[in-house]
Amino acid sequence: MSLPHAILTALLEKPSSGLELTRRFDRSIGYFWSATHQQIYRELGKLEAESRIRALATEQPARGQKKRYEVLPAGRAELARWTATSQDPKPLRDTMLLRLRAAAVVGTDGIETDLRHHLALHQRQLTEYEEIEKRDFPPGRDSPQDRLQHLVLRAGIDLETFWTQWLTHAIEEFAELP
């Protein structure tokens, strides 16, 4: 996935300003594709230069007024092309797993504390995802768009569930080490 495709997706869902996009990344898209305010604005400029988006006309031009963007046909076509293209999953790269492997040969100092810290972070994220699910996906919300968005959220819930279970098991293993 790339940032331009994330932005095109967000703008097709709702025309937005750069600030509004940043807020949406902080609240939803950023859970699986993060970007800074500067990265978003830089990418908006590129997408506009490539004629994939355009700034919407404002009723009264004013200095400092935020631009709102919408996706042009070329942007929609690029997003459709990208969506239809097959991609292999990215290989897992996890620092904690590498540190555990290293701990097997150099010692475990600090690892158990960090495992507990990671567990707390994943438990907090899981709780947040479950609250979003209750709030945003009540029974009966089953349009195709709702179902696909819920599927993305379920991936987050399932991943956080995996990590909380795995970390709990890892901490239990540490308790049994000599």
Side-chain angles (χ1 to χ4, degrees):
M1 179 186 234
S2 67
L3 182 55
H5 298 108
I7 290 173
L8 289 170
T9 299
L11 290 175
L12 280 170
E13 291 173 347
K14 180 181 176 187
S16 304
S17 68
L19 180 58
E20 290 166 334
L21 281 172
T22 299
R23 289 179 180 150
R24 288 174 63 202
F25 269 74
D26 289 344
R27 287 190 325 262
S28 61
I29 294 169
Y31 287 123
F32 56 90
W33 192 264
S34 62
T36 66
H37 186 75
Q38 293 83 6
Q39 289 171 318
I40 290 170
Y41 273 95
R42 188 170 39 249
E43 201 58 50
L44 284 170
K46 289 178 188 175
L47 288 167
E48 191 172 23
E50 295 167 350
S51 298
R52 293 190 172 161
I53 64 170
R54 72 173 170 206
L56 293 168
T58 59
E59 293 176 14
Q60 296 178 342
R63 183 170 164 81
Q65 187 173 9
K66 56 186 172 180
K67 288 184 192 178
R68 292 177 50 83
Y69 295 92
E70 70 177 351
V71 177
L72 294 171
R76 179 180 283 276
E78 168 53 23
L79 188 59
R81 181 209 60 77
W82 177 78
T83 301
T85 303
S86 178
Q87 296 180 0
D88 291 337
K90 297 221 181 257
L92 176 63
R93 292 177 59 168
D94 188 275
T95 305
M96 178 54 77
L97 296 177
L98 182 57
R99 290 177 58 218
L100 279 171
R101 181 75 182 250
V105 292
V106 298
T108 61
D109 288 348
I111 298 289
E112 185 175 2
T113 300
D114 211 29
L115 286 169
R116 291 181 186 284
H117 174 70
H118 281 236
L119 177 59
L121 293 173
H122 285 286
Q123 287 171 328
R124 192 167 34 249
Q125 190 64 63
L126 177 58
T127 299
E128 186 174 345
Y129 285 162
E130 289 171 339
E131 289 170 0
I132 291 169
E133 183 178 43
K134 285 178 194 168
R135 181 190 71 222
D136 293 349
F137 297 100
R141 270 194 75 178
D142 62 354
S143 73
Q145 183 177 359
D146 288 335
R147 291 176 70 178
L148 291 174
Q149 288 176 345
H150 191 200
L151 191 61
V152 173
L153 178 61
R154 284 299 323 170
I157 290 169
D158 292 347
L159 284 168
E160 294 303 331
T161 299
F162 161 78
W163 281 115
T164 57
Q165 291 172 349
W166 182 85
L167 287 160
T168 299
H169 176 73
I171 291 166
E172 290 168 357
E173 285 289 323
F174 259 79
E176 295 178 15
L177 292 177

